[in-house]
Amino acid sequence: MSNSENPIEKTIMFSTDLTARCDRPMDRACRLAKTLPAKLVICHVLEHGQYGKEAVAAATADIEMHLASCEMDAEIIIQRGDIVAKIIETAESVGADLIVAGVARVGKLGDLVIGTPLERIIHHSPIPVLIVKNRAFTDYDLLVAATDFSAPSAYAIKQATQIFAGLPIHIVNAFHVPFEGFLHSDKLTEEFRTEQYLQMVKFVEQLRLTGSGAPKVSHIIEYGSTSTVVLDEIKDLNSNLTVIGTHGTGGFRANMFGSMARSLIDYIPTDILAVRQKPK
């Protein structure tokens, strides 16, 4: 995905709390800045009571040391105040196309996100958030996107293909047969599969991912739970980045796609690009 000869058109902002596991999102942010290519901005928000010059100098030195190991230049911004508000405010002020963030510890991603500043950033940021869980050993080379054919999932896919221009995208839909406990039959399942397939074809057409530079698009319809189907596709295709859309009103809505987004964040082991659809 290297575009080192292309002019820098994008801006990535990495939000760091300077804890031990921030090396993973830091390395990913640096790698993306080199390969997209993009300008890199690093933002750290000082905790309450650490607003002195010494705290600013220490945070700046810590970031500069890691940048030196990455052989990367970046704009460093140290903020004071509410973590979530300052991260979003800074990302908007620098014109960021992507916010890169990490998780606090190894484990289920949902356990690490729910109720944390990262959850609130995902809910409220108008800018896509890349949640980095894994080490950046390789570039991203394939996007796997979950969809229920909703507007938020369509918006997420379009944003992903703009940020990661040129990468192929594999769109996944999982389905169940309504009232299958009472109506289950192989014939009925195949009828629903056909119906879902036709919806997928229409959905992909409406994305309008065509023309010069358009990504290669593939798609699949499978019977089963969304998390299981998406995970199977990730394993089969050896993908390391999953795309999901979220609703931006008070957290993940308790509807089909909101529940799906939360389940994927909790269950999928890859890095995740979470995209919130802007309110109309």
Side-chain angles (χ1 to χ4, degrees):
M1 191 177 64
S2 177
N3 294 308
S4 58
E5 296 181 358
N6 294 342
I8 293 178
E9 298 179 348
K10 296 182 175 68
T11 298
I12 295 171
M13 194 189 85
F14 167 46
S15 168
T16 177
D17 61 5
L18 300 180
T19 56
R21 275 182 56 83
C22 274
D23 61 331
R24 298 187 180 195
M26 175 74 143
D27 290 345
R28 176 58 70 184
C30 289
R31 189 171 191 125
L32 284 175
K34 293 176 181 178
T35 57
L36 287 178
K39 174 185 176 181
L40 178 60
V41 177
I42 300 178
C43 176
H44 174 66
V45 181
L46 293 171
E47 295 182 8
H48 181 70
Q50 298 182 348
Y51 293 170
K53 292 182 179 180
E54 296 82 0
V56 173
T60 302
D62 195 338
I63 294 169
E64 288 176 339
M65 182 173 63
H66 200 122
L67 281 172
S69 67
C70 295
E71 299 182 346
M72 190 75 199
D73 293 325
E75 177 183 354
I76 299 173
I77 299 176
I78 308 298
Q79 294 281 28
R80 301 173 175 85
D82 178 78
I83 293 174
V84 174
K86 286 298 180 181
I87 288 172
I88 295 175
E89 175 187 307
T90 303
E92 290 182 310
S93 69
V94 301
D97 300 282
L98 179 68
I99 296 173
V100 178
V103 292
R105 63 187 187 279
V106 178
K108 276 191 174 182
L109 188 53
D111 295 339
L112 311 179
V113 172
I114 304 306
T116 66
L118 179 55
E119 181 195 22
R120 290 190 286 138
I121 293 170
I122 294 168
H123 288 171
H124 298 292
S125 173
I127 299 165
V129 179
L130 177 63
I131 307 167
V132 177
K133 187 178 182 184
N134 301 296
R135 297 194 181 279
F137 292 128
T138 61
D139 293 336
Y140 298 133
D141 55 11
L142 171 67
L143 306 173
V144 171
T147 184
D148 63 347
F149 310 133
S150 66
S153 67
Y155 182 79
I157 290 169
K158 290 179 181 179
Q159 288 293 299
T161 57
Q162 290 176 16
I163 295 169
F164 299 100
L167 286 190
I169 185 163
H170 185 64
I171 304 174
V172 181
N173 173 262
F175 74 95
H176 282 285
V177 178
F179 309 109
E180 59 186 332
F182 301 97
L183 304 175
H184 179 70
S185 71
D186 292 341
K187 180 180 179 181
L188 190 60
T189 299
E190 288 309 307
E191 288 177 355
F192 271 90
R193 184 187 300 276
T194 300
E195 181 179 325
Q196 292 294 105
Y197 174 79
L198 294 175
Q199 287 191 60
M200 175 68 87
V201 171
K202 181 179 179 180
F203 177 78
V204 172
E205 288 178 350
Q206 291 177 339
L207 289 173
R208 297 180 180 177
L209 300 176
T210 58
S212 177
K216 179 181 178 181
V217 180
S218 58
H219 54 79
I220 191 169
I221 302 289
E222 287 291 351
Y223 175 85
S225 71
T226 299
S227 295
T228 300
V229 170
V230 172
L231 183 58
D232 287 345
E233 291 301 302
I234 288 169
K235 290 179 178 178
D236 289 345
L237 299 171
N238 197 30
S239 173
N240 54 1
L241 181 59
T242 305
V243 180
I244 64 171
T246 69
H247 298 278
T249 53
F252 297 115
R253 285 181 179 171
N255 58 21
M256 182 184 296
F257 194 74
S259 297
M260 185 178 82
R262 170 166 279 178
S263 176
L264 289 172
I265 287 178
D266 185 51
Y267 189 68
I268 298 301
T270 67
D271 293 352
I272 293 177
L273 180 66
V275 183
R276 167 183 172 254
Q277 185 179 27
K278 298 177 182 178
K280 294 182 179 180

